[in-house]
Structures are given as C-alpha cells and as structure tokens.
Amino acid sequence: MLLQREKSLLLMVDFQAGLLPVVDGGQKAVNEAAWLGEMACLLEVPVWLTEQSPEKLGGSSVSLLACLNNYRIWQKQHFGAMAEAEFREALNATGKTQIVLCGTEAHICVLQTGLGLLEAGYDLYWLSEASASRRAQEASLARERACANGAVAVTADMVAYEWLHRCDTALFKEAHQRLLKPRSSRPVRFF
C-alpha cells in the first residue's frame, strides 16, 4: 500500500538530548528524521514527537526541532505512547491512519509504541534509517519484530516520494529544491 500524505502522520519517538549521545547510529537517525520531518512540514503532514521523562532524559534535540516549522510534543511515562490515554485519543481524533514511526530506543519505546499502533488498527511504517538503539542489533531486532506483526519497513526517500506522488507539480519542484539533497550536507547536532 502506498503512503498518502492526507492519511499520514510522522511520529518521532524520544529523540532526546540526554539519550542520543549513547545511541549507536544516533546522529544518522536524527539526520534522517530531520530530513523527513522538514519534508512532512512542507507537505502539511502532521509531525508529533514524544519525550520519555524529559526531566531525566532532557527534551527533544534542539537542532531537530529547529528543522521543523510545525510540530506537537507529547510527554509520556509509559514506554509505548499508545498507553497514554490523552495521546491515544488525540491521535484517533486526527483521522490519520498511516503512521510513519521512528526514534530511539528502537527496541523499547519505538517498538512498544509501534506494537500499540498496530494493535489499535493503524497502518505502521517503520522508518528504518531513523530508528536506533544503544546497540545496533537491538534496533535491527525491533524492526524485524515490528514487521513480523504487520509494520512495513521504509526509508525516508520511499516516504517522501510516495507523499509527493508525482513530479510535475510546483510542490514537487519546491520539495526537490529544498529537501531532496544528500543528508550529509544537512548535519544535525544532538544539542
């Protein structure tokens, strides 16, 4: 099934300043999330972020937030965001059915959020390059487990081009000029 921007929401889980320095591949994950987040904002796809106990782990990466012009932050205590009633109810109220998911740590909060989304009936797209853990093996196993339960592994480029849908529009030209360039030219720092 193709992603459609009218049905989509980008959910970034716990890209927090206190956690990112110990995450294997954390810099790459943040860069990919920032790139797709900027694309989502351009295409008016809602961008939501979660923060796990921010008083302990810090808030969302400031440089990630600087790439987004429109987003909503949810603070949580449960590892899985769907266990938070206010979050679950607000997500349901959006009418969005396709959730593009990424974040840290992939094997804990991202996975539990993803499994909760699948259980609630959402179509889940696991953004592989933007999901990381302290140990790479755990991130890989988390993706495998999510996909075994119905998630679809995707890349940022897959998502962006499916959201854009065609190449002969002014929106595509704007997106291509602003965003469809190598991620390495757009470094994002954790702090």
mmCIF file of all heavy atoms in Angstrom, residues 109-133:
data_model
loop_
_atom_site.group_PDB
_atom_site.id
_atom_site.type_symbol
_atom_site.label_atom_id
_atom_site.label_comp_id
_atom_site.label_asym_id
_atom_site.label_seq_id
_atom_site.Cartn_x
_atom_site.Cartn_y
_atom_site.Cartn_z
ATOM 1 N N CYS A 109 10.966 2.033 23.417
ATOM 2 C CA CYS A 109 9.832 2.951 23.223
ATOM 3 C C CYS A 109 9.286 2.954 21.801
ATOM 4 O O CYS A 109 8.074 3.031 21.599
ATOM 5 C CB CYS A 109 10.221 4.359 23.656
ATOM 6 S SG CYS A 109 10.522 4.473 25.441
ATOM 7 N N VAL A 110 10.166 2.856 20.807
ATOM 8 C CA VAL A 110 9.676 2.842 19.426
ATOM 9 C C VAL A 110 8.886 1.556 19.180
ATOM 10 O O VAL A 110 7.777 1.595 18.652
ATOM 11 C CB VAL A 110 10.823 3.001 18.413
ATOM 12 C CG1 VAL A 110 10.277 3.055 16.985
ATOM 13 C CG2 VAL A 110 11.638 4.260 18.701
ATOM 14 N N LEU A 111 9.457 0.431 19.579
ATOM 15 C CA LEU A 111 8.780 -0.852 19.370
ATOM 16 C C LEU A 111 7.451 -0.919 20.118
ATOM 17 O O LEU A 111 6.428 -1.308 19.545
ATOM 18 C CB LEU A 111 9.680 -2.013 19.800
ATOM 19 C CG LEU A 111 9.062 -3.404 19.635
ATOM 20 C CD1 LEU A 111 8.715 -3.687 18.178
ATOM 21 C CD2 LEU A 111 9.993 -4.466 20.193
ATOM 22 N N GLN A 112 7.443 -0.548 21.392
ATOM 23 C CA GLN A 112 6.194 -0.628 22.156
ATOM 24 C C GLN A 112 5.144 0.329 21.604
ATOM 25 O O GLN A 112 3.954 -0.010 21.551
ATOM 26 C CB GLN A 112 6.462 -0.375 23.639
ATOM 27 C CG GLN A 112 7.212 -1.535 24.283
ATOM 28 C CD GLN A 112 7.353 -1.392 25.783
ATOM 29 O OE1 GLN A 112 6.456 -0.889 26.457
ATOM 30 N NE2 GLN A 112 8.474 -1.855 26.320
ATOM 31 N N THR A 113 5.572 1.508 21.145
ATOM 32 C CA THR A 113 4.632 2.432 20.502
ATOM 33 C C THR A 113 4.099 1.824 19.214
ATOM 34 O O THR A 113 2.896 1.850 18.940
ATOM 35 C CB THR A 113 5.306 3.787 20.231
ATOM 36 O OG1 THR A 113 5.659 4.385 21.489
ATOM 37 C CG2 THR A 113 4.399 4.728 19.456
ATOM 38 N N GLY A 114 4.987 1.241 18.419
ATOM 39 C CA GLY A 114 4.581 0.630 17.159
ATOM 40 C C GLY A 114 3.619 -0.531 17.344
ATOM 41 O O GLY A 114 2.611 -0.630 16.639
ATOM 42 N N LEU A 115 3.919 -1.403 18.290
ATOM 43 C CA LEU A 115 3.019 -2.532 18.542
ATOM 44 C C LEU A 115 1.659 -2.038 19.027
ATOM 45 O O LEU A 115 0.618 -2.596 18.650
ATOM 46 C CB LEU A 115 3.653 -3.504 19.534
ATOM 47 C CG LEU A 115 4.904 -4.234 19.034
ATOM 48 C CD1 LEU A 115 5.519 -5.078 20.155
ATOM 49 C CD2 LEU A 115 4.617 -5.075 17.808
ATOM 50 N N GLY A 116 1.648 -0.986 19.827
ATOM 51 C CA GLY A 116 0.382 -0.397 20.269
ATOM 52 C C GLY A 116 -0.409 0.191 19.114
ATOM 53 O O GLY A 116 -1.637 0.058 19.050
ATOM 54 N N LEU A 117 0.286 0.827 18.181
ATOM 55 C CA LEU A 117 -0.382 1.383 16.995
ATOM 56 C C LEU A 117 -0.978 0.268 16.139
ATOM 57 O O LEU A 117 -2.109 0.375 15.661
ATOM 58 C CB LEU A 117 0.606 2.215 16.177
ATOM 59 C CG LEU A 117 1.014 3.552 16.786
ATOM 60 C CD1 LEU A 117 2.301 4.071 16.153
ATOM 61 C CD2 LEU A 117 -0.112 4.569 16.647
ATOM 62 N N LEU A 118 -0.203 -0.798 15.939
ATOM 63 C CA LEU A 118 -0.709 -1.931 15.164
ATOM 64 C C LEU A 118 -1.926 -2.553 15.833
ATOM 65 O O LEU A 118 -2.924 -2.856 15.169
ATOM 66 C CB LEU A 118 0.394 -2.975 14.980
ATOM 67 C CG LEU A 118 1.509 -2.589 14.018
ATOM 68 C CD1 LEU A 118 2.708 -3.512 14.181
ATOM 69 C CD2 LEU A 118 1.006 -2.603 12.576
ATOM 70 N N GLU A 119 -1.852 -2.728 17.127
ATOM 71 C CA GLU A 119 -2.972 -3.311 17.865
ATOM 72 C C GLU A 119 -4.225 -2.451 17.745
ATOM 73 O O GLU A 119 -5.343 -2.969 17.700
ATOM 74 C CB GLU A 119 -2.593 -3.479 19.336
ATOM 75 C CG GLU A 119 -3.616 -4.227 20.146
ATOM 76 C CD GLU A 119 -3.168 -4.446 21.584
ATOM 77 O OE1 GLU A 119 -1.955 -4.523 21.838
ATOM 78 O OE2 GLU A 119 -4.050 -4.532 22.451
ATOM 79 N N ALA A 120 -4.037 -1.134 17.654
ATOM 80 C CA ALA A 120 -5.171 -0.221 17.528
ATOM 81 C C ALA A 120 -5.683 -0.109 16.091
ATOM 82 O O ALA A 120 -6.653 0.610 15.831
ATOM 83 C CB ALA A 120 -4.778 1.172 18.052
ATOM 84 N N GLY A 121 -5.035 -0.785 15.145
ATOM 85 C CA GLY A 121 -5.535 -0.817 13.780
ATOM 86 C C GLY A 121 -4.895 0.171 12.816
ATOM 87 O O GLY A 121 -5.355 0.300 11.673
ATOM 88 N N TYR A 122 -3.833 0.849 13.217
ATOM 89 C CA TYR A 122 -3.164 1.797 12.318
ATOM 90 C C TYR A 122 -2.251 1.045 11.356
ATOM 91 O O TYR A 122 -1.727 -0.023 11.682
ATOM 92 C CB TYR A 122 -2.333 2.806 13.116
ATOM 93 C CG TYR A 122 -3.180 3.771 13.901
ATOM 94 C CD1 TYR A 122 -3.522 3.510 15.224
ATOM 95 C CD2 TYR A 122 -3.658 4.939 13.313
ATOM 96 C CE1 TYR A 122 -4.325 4.390 15.942
ATOM 97 C CE2 TYR A 122 -4.454 5.821 14.029
ATOM 98 C CZ TYR A 122 -4.783 5.545 15.335
ATOM 99 O OH TYR A 122 -5.576 6.406 16.039
ATOM 100 N N ASP A 123 -2.064 1.613 10.165
ATOM 101 C CA ASP A 123 -1.057 1.121 9.233
ATOM 102 C C ASP A 123 0.268 1.723 9.685
ATOM 103 O O ASP A 123 0.397 2.949 9.784
ATOM 104 C CB ASP A 123 -1.361 1.565 7.804
ATOM 105 C CG ASP A 123 -2.650 0.963 7.269
ATOM 106 O OD1 ASP A 123 -2.976 -0.180 7.642
ATOM 107 O OD2 ASP A 123 -3.334 1.652 6.485
ATOM 108 N N LEU A 124 1.252 0.884 9.959
ATOM 109 C CA LEU A 124 2.504 1.347 10.539
ATOM 110 C C LEU A 124 3.651 1.192 9.555
ATOM 111 O O LEU A 124 3.857 0.111 8.988
ATOM 112 C CB LEU A 124 2.810 0.559 11.814
ATOM 113 C CG LEU A 124 4.070 0.982 12.552
ATOM 114 C CD1 LEU A 124 3.946 2.402 13.081
ATOM 115 C CD2 LEU A 124 4.365 0.017 13.695
ATOM 116 N N TYR A 125 4.409 2.266 9.382
ATOM 117 C CA TYR A 125 5.564 2.305 8.500
ATOM 118 C C TYR A 125 6.792 2.619 9.356
ATOM 119 O O TYR A 125 6.894 3.700 9.917
ATOM 120 C CB TYR A 125 5.359 3.348 7.393
ATOM 121 C CG TYR A 125 4.182 2.989 6.524
ATOM 122 C CD1 TYR A 125 2.881 3.326 6.902
ATOM 123 C CD2 TYR A 125 4.364 2.264 5.357
ATOM 124 C CE1 TYR A 125 1.792 2.957 6.123
ATOM 125 C CE2 TYR A 125 3.278 1.895 4.575
ATOM 126 C CZ TYR A 125 2.000 2.245 4.966
ATOM 127 O OH TYR A 125 0.926 1.876 4.203
ATOM 128 N N TRP A 126 7.685 1.656 9.491
ATOM 129 C CA TRP A 126 8.870 1.737 10.352
ATOM 130 C C TRP A 126 9.997 2.390 9.564
ATOM 131 O O TRP A 126 10.533 1.804 8.626
ATOM 132 C CB TRP A 126 9.271 0.336 10.796
ATOM 133 C CG TRP A 126 10.394 0.265 11.758
ATOM 134 C CD1 TRP A 126 11.732 0.333 11.468
ATOM 135 C CD2 TRP A 126 10.305 0.096 13.178
ATOM 136 N NE1 TRP A 126 12.474 0.215 12.616
ATOM 137 C CE2 TRP A 126 11.620 0.068 13.678
ATOM 138 C CE3 TRP A 126 9.236 -0.044 14.069
ATOM 139 C CZ2 TRP A 126 11.907 -0.101 15.032
ATOM 140 C CZ3 TRP A 126 9.508 -0.208 15.418
ATOM 141 C CH2 TRP A 126 10.830 -0.230 15.887
ATOM 142 N N LEU A 127 10.347 3.608 9.923
ATOM 143 C CA LEU A 127 11.390 4.368 9.225
ATOM 144 C C LEU A 127 12.755 3.844 9.670
ATOM 145 O O LEU A 127 13.291 4.239 10.705
ATOM 146 C CB LEU A 127 11.226 5.859 9.503
ATOM 147 C CG LEU A 127 12.089 6.812 8.701
ATOM 148 C CD1 LEU A 127 11.878 6.631 7.199
ATOM 149 C CD2 LEU A 127 11.787 8.248 9.111
ATOM 150 N N SER A 128 13.296 2.940 8.880
ATOM 151 C CA SER A 128 14.454 2.148 9.281
ATOM 152 C C SER A 128 15.691 2.973 9.617
ATOM 153 O O SER A 128 16.334 2.747 10.642
ATOM 154 C CB SER A 128 14.795 1.135 8.186
ATOM 155 O OG SER A 128 13.715 0.241 8.014
ATOM 156 N N GLU A 129 16.062 3.929 8.766
ATOM 157 C CA GLU A 129 17.301 4.685 8.994
ATOM 158 C C GLU A 129 17.188 5.647 10.169
ATOM 159 O O GLU A 129 18.191 6.162 10.637
ATOM 160 C CB GLU A 129 17.706 5.531 7.781
ATOM 161 C CG GLU A 129 17.594 4.877 6.454
ATOM 162 C CD GLU A 129 16.549 5.551 5.589
ATOM 163 O OE1 GLU A 129 15.450 5.831 6.071
ATOM 164 O OE2 GLU A 129 16.853 5.795 4.415
ATOM 165 N N ALA A 130 15.984 5.924 10.616
ATOM 166 C CA ALA A 130 15.782 6.901 11.685
ATOM 167 C C ALA A 130 15.315 6.245 12.977
ATOM 168 O O ALA A 130 14.713 6.890 13.822
ATOM 169 C CB ALA A 130 14.784 7.968 11.227
ATOM 170 N N SER A 131 15.596 4.950 13.123
ATOM 171 C CA SER A 131 15.254 4.230 14.346
ATOM 172 C C SER A 131 16.522 3.553 14.847
ATOM 173 O O SER A 131 17.132 2.768 14.124
ATOM 174 C CB SER A 131 14.164 3.187 14.078
ATOM 175 O OG SER A 131 12.983 3.832 13.631
ATOM 176 N N ALA A 132 16.919 3.879 16.065
ATOM 177 C CA ALA A 132 18.211 3.405 16.571
ATOM 178 C C ALA A 132 18.127 3.076 18.056
ATOM 179 O O ALA A 132 17.221 3.528 18.757
ATOM 180 C CB ALA A 132 19.274 4.476 16.326
ATOM 181 N N SER A 133 19.098 2.280 18.491
ATOM 182 C CA SER A 133 19.219 1.876 19.896
ATOM 183 C C SER A 133 20.680 1.981 20.316
ATOM 184 O O SER A 133 21.562 2.163 19.480
ATOM 185 C CB SER A 133 18.751 0.431 20.092
ATOM 186 O OG SER A 133 17.379 0.291 19.846
#
